[in-house]
C-alpha cells in the first residue's frame, strides 16, 4: 500500500499569529523557527494519526488480488475520488470501468474483484480553519514543547512517553 502525494497541502493548520498568541510571543523575530516547528508538528501528527489536516491530492496503490468490499485509505478524511486505474504488469495505468470504486463513510467500496488498483483521491479538512480545534491545539502544544526544549525548560520525551496526540488521536485499525 504505497502512498504518493501528488499535490501537497498549502499552508498550515495554525497561523504564525495563533502560535505567537499561544506562546505569548510579541515579536516576529522567531517566525522562521516557529514555521519550522509548526510544519514538523503537523507532519508528526499526520504520520501518527493517519489524518491529513490540510487538503492534498494523493495516489494510493492497493496491490494483489482484491475482493469486493472496503479498502481503507492510508490517510483521511477522504473528500473525493479523482481517478481509479488498474496497474498493469508493465507499470502502465489503465482506466477501469465506472462504478468500480465508490466512497462510503471515508472508505473505498470496491464493487468487483480487481488486481493491483491505483486510486487518486483528495484527503484533508480543506483549510486550517476547518481543522478540528483539538487537532489545532495538539499542534500548538507540540510547538510549545519544542520551544521549551530549545530554551532548556523542557526535557526530551523519553522513548516510552506519549505525546498529546498519542494519548487522544491514535490511529485504530479494525
Amino acid at each position: 500500500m504505497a502512498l504518493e502525494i501528488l499535490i501537497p497541502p498549502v499552508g498550515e493548520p495554525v497561523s504564525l499569529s495563533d502560535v505567537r498568541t499561544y506562546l505569548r510571543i510579541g515579536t516576529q523575530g522567531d517566525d522562521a523557527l516557529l514555521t519550522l516547528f509548526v510544519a514538523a508538528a503537523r507532519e508528526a501528527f499526520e504520520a501518527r494519526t493517519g489524518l491529513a489536516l490540510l487538503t492534498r491530492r494523493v495516489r494510493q496503490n492497493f496491490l494483489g488480488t482484491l475482493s469486493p468490499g472496503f479498502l481503507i485509505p492510508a490517510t483521511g478524511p477522504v473528500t473525493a475520488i479523482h481517478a481509479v486505474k488498474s496497474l498493469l504488469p508493465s507499470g502502465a495505468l489503465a482506466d477501469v470501468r465506472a462504478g468500480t470504486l465508490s466512497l462510503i463513510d471515508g472508505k473505498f467500496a470496491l464493487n468487483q474483484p480487481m488486481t493491483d488498483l491505483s486510486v487518486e483521491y483528495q484527503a484533508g479538512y480543506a483549510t486550517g480553519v476547518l481543522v478540528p480545534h483539538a487537532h489545532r491545539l495538539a499542534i500548538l502544544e507540540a510547538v510549545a514543547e519544542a520551544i521549551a526544549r530549545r530554551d532548556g525548560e523542557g526535557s526530551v520525551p523519553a522513548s516510552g512517553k506519549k505525546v498529546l496526540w498519542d494519548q487522544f488521536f491514535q490511529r485504530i485499525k479494525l
Side-chain angles (χ1 to χ4, degrees):
M1 175 172 63
L3 184 70
E4 176 185 2
I5 296 176
L6 303 174
I7 301 174
V10 176
E12 292 298 341
V14 294
S15 68
L16 280 175
S17 175
D18 292 339
V19 173
R20 278 194 236 103
T21 300
Y22 186 77
L23 297 174
R24 299 182 185 151
I25 297 174
T27 65
Q28 298 175 354
D30 286 335
D31 280 1
L33 185 60
L34 292 176
T35 300
L36 172 70
F37 285 160
V38 168
R42 176 190 47 82
E43 290 170 1
F45 183 93
E46 290 176 340
R48 181 68 180 138
T49 63
L51 294 172
L53 295 182
L54 300 170
T55 298
R56 79 245 3 238
R57 190 167 178 165
V58 298
R59 179 182 300 129
Q60 182 175 351
N61 297 329
F62 296 91
L63 304 177
T65 303
L66 306 168
S67 300
F70 286 103
L71 302 174
I72 306 299
T75 190
V78 177
T79 55
I81 297 174
H82 293 289
V84 181
K85 308 265 184 183
S86 178
L87 290 164
L88 302 176
S90 66
L93 296 172
D95 289 330
V96 298
R97 200 176 54 158
T100 300
L101 193 73
S102 56
L103 185 60
I104 299 175
D105 293 329
K107 298 179 208 82
F108 302 127
L110 184 62
N111 302 316
Q112 65 185 43
M114 293 289 300
T115 303
D116 298 339
L117 198 61
S118 179
V119 181
E120 205 172 291
Y121 61 96
Q122 181 173 305
Y125 291 103
T127 65
V129 192
L130 298 176
V131 173
H133 294 298
H135 298 359
R136 294 177 72 215
L137 180 59
I139 301 299
L140 290 169
E141 285 289 327
V143 172
E145 287 177 18
I147 293 291
R149 283 193 304 275
R150 178 200 69 173
D151 293 343
E153 298 168 8
S155 60
V156 175
S159 61
K161 182 182 174 191
K162 292 186 176 240
V163 293
L164 181 65
W165 52 78
D166 279 347
Q167 296 171 19
F168 300 109
F169 305 110
Q170 287 186 7
R171 176 181 245 186
I172 298 173
K173 292 187 177 184
L174 301 175

